[in-house]
Amino acid sequence: MKVITLHKNDFQLHCRRLFIKIDSKPDMVVGILNGGGYVLEEFKKEHLNKYIVYTTVKLQRPSTKGIKQSSFMKNLLNLLPYSILNKARISEHQKQIKTSNKNNNQTIEIDFSAFENKSINTILILDDAVDSGQTMQSVIEVLSNKFPDTSIKTAVLAWTNAESIVVPDYYMFKNQLVRFPWSLDYKTKHHG
C-alpha cells in the first residue's frame, strides 16, 4: 500500500477536484471531524449558498486518542523519517481494519435543532478518508433515521480499503493512505 502526503495547497486542489465530481445538490452537508471538518470548510468556500445547512459530527478512532494526548509521541513522530512513518501508518491501518468489526460502539450526536423547519432532500457527508467504513456507516444510520426519505451521498478524499462496509459515492484516491496537513505524522507544515 502506498502512502502519499498532501500539503495544504495539494489538499485544497484535491478537494476542488472532488467537489467537481459531485453531481447532486445537497440541502445539508455534514463533515465528520476532524478531517472531514477541513474538507467541509473547503466545500463552503466553493459553495456559497445560504440554503445549504452545514453541520459536523465528532468521532475519533481509539488508536489515535492516546497519541494526541502524549507530547512524547508527538515529538517522536516529528523526529522519525517518512520512510519509518509510512511503515507505521500502513501497520496501524492494517491493524485498524482487522479490529474494526470488533469495535463498533461508536455513538454519534448531531444537534438537529437548526434543521427542524428545513426541508432536507439530499445530504452530503464529507470526510477525509474511509478506512473500514464503520464511522461513515454510523453517521449514515443516524441521518437515515432522522431523515428517512432523504438521499444520502458520501464524498472522501481517500478510500483506503476497497473492502470497507461503505463504498463512498465520490473519492479521489483508492487503496492509498493519505497524510494530510493535520495528520499527527505530517512534518512539513511550512509548505503551502
Side-chain angles (χ1 to χ4, degrees), residues 107-161:
T107 57
I108 298 173
E109 292 184 25
I110 302 174
D111 180 9
F112 291 111
S113 60
F115 324 127
E116 291 304 324
N117 298 322
K118 301 227 183 235
S119 174
I120 305 294
N121 297 310
T122 303
I123 299 172
L124 175 63
I125 304 171
L126 299 174
D127 205 355
D128 55 349
V130 165
D131 299 311
S132 69
Q134 294 272 337
T135 299
M136 186 68 76
Q137 182 64 37
S138 297
V139 173
I140 290 170
E141 287 174 10
V142 168
L143 293 171
S144 294
N145 288 336
K146 179 66 178 175
F147 304 101
D149 298 323
T150 299
S151 169
I152 298 177
K153 299 290 185 180
T154 57
V156 299
L157 288 168
W159 178 23
T160 66
N161 175 16

Side-chain angles (χ1 to χ4, degrees), residues 16-34:
R16 285 192 297 274
R17 289 180 178 166
L18 175 66
F19 303 152
I20 289 169
K21 292 182 172 190
I22 298 171
D23 56 2
S24 62
K25 301 288 184 217
D27 307 299
M28 178 193 297
V29 182
V30 179
I32 300 174
L33 298 176
N34 285 334

